[in-house]
Amino acid sequence: MQTLPDTLCYLNGEYSSLRDAKVSVLDRGFIFGDGIYEVVPVYGRRLFRFDEHLARLGRSLAKLRIANPHSPEQWLERSRKLVAALAEKAGAEDQLIYIQVTRGVALRDHVMPTDIEPTVFMMASPMKHATAEQRHHGVACVTARDFRWERGDIKSTSLLGNVLARQMSADHGAVETVMFRDGYLTEASASNVWVVHEGAVLGPPKSEHVLEGIRYDLIRELCEETGIAYNLRPIPEGEVLAADELLLSSATKEVLPITKLDGQPVGHGALRGKPGPVYARLYEAYQRAKAAQSI
């Protein structure tokens, strides 16, 4: 049994040790996975693109018909308190703030009750950065059919499909599983996927099959800043396999090069199997954004 860290968390209006926090066994998040979550990166004790994360949290809540339980000011105040507590206790300057909202506690019934209070949970944890070796050499990924449900646009706590997909890559010593639905790229188990073709960055269009990662708009902004063409369109599996570069993006990975896919090197010529120039430019621009867009 894992020993939980003795760090501060927030649960339904109270701050307590993570070891002591408890929810009802009839919480619909436990029974049905009926809830949503957000993960906000923190750099140097400052929250990165916090407004964008709150906006996506609001969209997910609205799609599940759960009223947002806090104002933006309340979310910010509570997040900052958890950041300060973890920095004080563990010396962690770079962190992740995890926010989860479930529909609340009710007798088990599939129908959504309307007279219950949402369960709100928040915690901070140290950020695990990509390693220098991963950034220098890139990472390996595997591919799979996207077998998850049809509402990938909701950042739901019902993540069993993502867990199964991520385990497929772990079983092969890879860091991610790149998925395809009906022959077209969707996303990875916990990351967005980008294709570089002739110097342009391509991504799947926003749809119910793809979570609109916070980095979707960020990558677009970084491409504009660095003069890289950017386009969202359906991407056939063949284009992914023939890409000049492949990239992952997420809160923890930032932007990370895929240099091996299903055991085969990514790319062409002298850069085959190596991080490419588009990745290098986007990574440097990402570091500048972290300094400019954190509060």
Side-chain angles (χ1 to χ4, degrees), residues 253-269:
K253 299 177 186 69
E254 299 181 3
V255 59
L256 194 62
I258 302 172
T259 50
K260 185 177 289 187
L261 189 64
D262 288 337
Q264 299 301 312
V266 173
H268 310 282

Side-chain angles (χ1 to χ4, degrees), residues 38-59:
E38 272 296 326
V39 180
V40 184
V42 177
Y43 300 106
R45 306 192 189 193
R46 299 166 66 214
L47 296 139
F48 182 56
R49 289 178 77 92
F50 188 69
D51 290 344
E52 288 82 357
H53 279 280
L54 280 193
R56 185 173 64 181
L57 181 145
R59 292 194 297 271

Side-chain angles (χ1 to χ4, degrees), residues 67-123:
N68 193 326
H70 295 320
S71 68
E73 293 77 18
Q74 289 172 321
W75 286 119
L76 180 59
E77 184 273 331
R78 284 157 191 169
S79 296
R80 282 178 166 165
K81 180 165 182 172
L82 293 174
V83 168
L86 183 63
E88 179 73 19
K89 188 175 187 66
E93 297 291 306
D94 294 354
Q95 306 176 19
L96 297 171
I97 290 292
Y98 178 84
I99 301 171
Q100 178 170 305
V101 183
T102 76
R103 198 173 304 278
V105 178
L107 293 176
R108 189 180 185 278
D109 188 331
H110 284 69
V111 176
M112 299 175 181
T114 58
D115 58 349
I116 59 174
E117 292 293 322
T119 297
V120 181
F121 171 68
M122 302 174 68
M123 66 177 177

Side-chain angles (χ1 to χ4, degrees), residues 219-242:
I219 294 295
R220 174 183 54 79
E221 293 169 13
L222 299 184
C223 285
E224 291 175 354
E225 175 190 329
T226 54
I228 299 171
Y230 171 94
N231 189 27
L232 300 183
R233 64 167 174 79
I235 304 174
E237 184 172 356
E239 279 193 53
V240 176
L241 300 180

Side-chain angles (χ1 to χ4, degrees), residues 265-282:
V266 173
H268 310 282
L271 290 175
R272 182 171 168 81
K274 299 178 181 179
V278 171
Y279 160 71
R281 290 162 66 188
L282 288 178

Side-chain angles (χ1 to χ4, degrees), residues 13-271:
E14 302 289 339
Y15 292 94
S16 69
S17 164
L18 188 61
R19 295 178 185 174
D20 298 328
K22 301 289 188 298
V23 296
S24 169
V25 295
L26 286 179
D27 191 280
R28 287 177 63 92
F30 178 69
I31 295 291
F32 292 116
D34 185 2
I36 61 92
Y37 74 102
E38 272 296 326
V39 180
V40 184
V42 177
Y43 300 106
R45 306 192 189 193
R46 299 166 66 214
L47 296 139
F48 182 56
R49 289 178 77 92
F50 188 69
D51 290 344
E52 288 82 357
H53 279 280
L54 280 193
R56 185 173 64 181
L57 181 145
R59 292 194 297 271
S60 292
L61 287 171
K63 290 171 183 176
L64 292 191
R65 305 185 198 179
I66 299 175
N68 193 326
H70 295 320
S71 68
E73 293 77 18
Q74 289 172 321
W75 286 119
L76 180 59
E77 184 273 331
R78 284 157 191 169
S79 296
R80 282 178 166 165
K81 180 165 182 172
L82 293 174
V83 168
L86 183 63
E88 179 73 19
K89 188 175 187 66
E93 297 291 306
D94 294 354
Q95 306 176 19
L96 297 171
I97 290 292
Y98 178 84
I99 301 171
Q100 178 170 305
V101 183
T102 76
R103 198 173 304 278
V105 178
L107 293 176
R108 189 180 185 278
D109 188 331
H110 284 69
V111 176
M112 299 175 181
T114 58
D115 58 349
I116 59 174
E117 292 293 322
T119 297
V120 181
F121 171 68
M122 302 174 68
M123 66 177 177
S125 58
M127 182 183 292
K128 297 179 181 178
H129 294 282
T131 67
E133 181 179 0
Q134 287 175 323
R135 297 215 172 276
H136 182 73
H137 295 290
V139 299
C141 294
V142 299
T143 62
R145 175 180 62 86
D146 193 342
F147 50 81
R148 302 167 304 160
W149 72 321
E150 296 282 340
R151 294 305 307 272
D153 58 312
I154 300 172
K155 199 167 178 66
S156 165
T157 57
S158 305
L159 288 172
L160 182 57
N162 301 68
V163 168
L164 292 171
R166 177 64 183 93
Q167 190 60 43
M168 293 169 66
S169 57
D171 289 343
H172 290 85
V175 304
E176 261 291 17
T177 300
V178 176
M179 291 181 285
F180 300 90
R181 188 184 293 266
D182 299 325
Y184 288 87
L185 175 67
T186 53
E187 58 189 359
S189 66
S191 315
N192 289 121
V193 181
W194 304 92
V195 175
V196 178
H197 177 68
E198 295 183 350
V201 171
L202 308 176
K206 299 175 183 180
S207 73
E208 291 186 345
H209 295 153
V210 177
L211 178 67
E212 186 181 336
I214 299 301
R215 271 127 293 275
Y216 248 71
D217 286 340
L218 176 59
I219 294 295
R220 174 183 54 79
E221 293 169 13
L222 299 184
C223 285
E224 291 175 354
E225 175 190 329
T226 54
I228 299 171
Y230 171 94
N231 189 27
L232 300 183
R233 64 167 174 79
I235 304 174
E237 184 172 356
E239 279 193 53
V240 176
L241 300 180
D244 299 329
E245 299 178 44
L246 293 176
L247 310 174
L248 298 170
S249 66
S250 73
T252 54
K253 299 177 186 69
E254 299 181 3
V255 59
L256 194 62
I258 302 172
T259 50
K260 185 177 289 187
L261 189 64
D262 288 337
Q264 299 301 312
V266 173
H268 310 282
L271 290 175

